Amino acid sequence: VTSFAQDSLTTEAERVFQLLLANQVDSLYDRLGDNMKAQVSRQMLEGAMKQAEQLAGAYQGHGPWEYRRSGDLDVCTSAISFEQGQLNFVVAFDGQRQIQGLRIMPLPQPQPADDMPLPEDAVELTDTVYTNPDVTLPCNIVISGRSVSPPMVVFVHGSGPCDRDETVAGNRPFLDLSRQLAERGISSLRYDKRTFVYPGTVTSMDAETIDDALAAIQLARSYAGQVYLVGHSLGAMLAPLIASRTELEGIVMMAAPARDLQEVVNEQLAYLSSADDTEEQRQAALAQMREQSPHYFQPQHQVEAAQRLSIPMLIMQGGRDYQVTMEDFNLWRQALADKPRGTFASYPALHHTVLE
């Protein structure tokens, strides 16, 4: 591709980005190739920037465009700056300049900076979570030196392809928590999620989360006598089911849906949609998501599973979270009201990413 052609492509990428920024959804949707139109609804495009700002703060600008050739596609990327970090805008064109890929995703991350180093008496090791011969997941294990036999926490991610730190917009909540826990005498294990290591379709909650969490807990037991689970979002919702299939000393559930995901996702779509969108359009977007991830729309009965547990449970919720709301938190509180070992904590200023 000549430099002139590259300039033309990056100019086109800038037009696409400005359409997204201006919420000109119809014009943007018309530029999608047929394959993309089969995967992406107008409602999903409309909510993209709003969702990014919920994760990373107000939009501030974007950097220069970079170009690369990937197979038959021309790919243009630009770093988008927000108040709380950066995300990567990626658009891929085919030979007819139709859009065959469009994503807002985390930037490739460098090694974690030492702005929150390990305590001097802690050590960090690398190991592997072995689920089966076809699924092996790299992990980091922090051993706290503040006690002779420190307990260990296993972190379990939310939905989508997450790395071991659950990186979003430059923030690494699992990494930060691992450092803070080490200061308090608690070890931790964090692993790359299966859909991060092996991109592709998974069709069950066992394959996406539960089986790997069980394998991680088994590995943690080779390092510590007491093991706890800390789940976020989807990982928090599934924490009671995971706990019912293994031995744990307790679970922590951050931003855990109490309702079925179909209701939660429908509520998210309503939040992200404009006032002009109809219920029919939202239901069409929901049907498209159901086709792509059918297991998200199968009831998991997580509340009933939690009611059967006798271990300590800590349920935490941010008041500014639109993805999982205080309605879910109150449902958990109501369902577990007779559980003497249930503890509830809400934080009015926090978003879904457990950040202000």
Side-chain angles (χ1 to χ4, degrees), residues 117-123 142-151 178-188:
L118 277 175
E120 291 184 0
D121 53 4
V123 295
V142 174
I143 306 294
S144 175
R146 300 293 168 94
S147 61
V148 176
S149 300
S178 73
R179 271 54 177 152
Q180 295 172 33
L181 289 170
E183 289 275 6
R184 291 161 175 78
I186 300 170
S187 302
S188 61

Side-chain angles (χ1 to χ4, degrees), residues 51 263-273 322-324:
Q51 187 170 15
E263 182 178 349
V264 173
V265 171
N266 196 28
E267 188 175 89
Q268 292 174 7
L269 287 172
Y271 178 88
L272 293 170
S273 299
Y322 80 88
Q323 297 183 47
V324 179

Side-chain angles (χ1 to χ4, degrees), residues 179-225:
R179 271 54 177 152
Q180 295 172 33
L181 289 170
E183 289 275 6
R184 291 161 175 78
I186 300 170
S187 302
S188 61
L189 185 157
R190 43 189 221 284
Y191 60 94
D192 289 338
K193 193 176 174 184
R194 184 186 301 201
T195 49
F196 181 83
V197 179
Y198 305 99
T201 301
V202 292
T203 58
S204 70
M205 289 300 185
D206 280 357
E208 177 160 349
T209 297
I210 295 175
D211 289 347
D212 300 328
L214 291 170
I217 291 165
Q218 183 177 6
L219 176 61
R221 289 216 170 273
S222 68
Y223 288 92

Side-chain angles (χ1 to χ4, degrees), residues 109-155:
Q109 295 297 326
Q111 286 298 109
D114 289 334
D115 53 352
M116 189 179 289
L118 277 175
E120 291 184 0
D121 53 4
V123 295
E124 186 158 15
L125 313 170
T126 58
D127 208 324
T128 301
V129 173
Y130 182 91
T131 303
N132 60 54
D134 297 321
V135 179
T136 57
L137 308 172
C139 69
N140 280 46
I141 294 172
V142 174
I143 306 294
S144 175
R146 300 293 168 94
S147 61
V148 176
S149 300
M152 179 170 286
V153 157
V154 173
F155 292 106

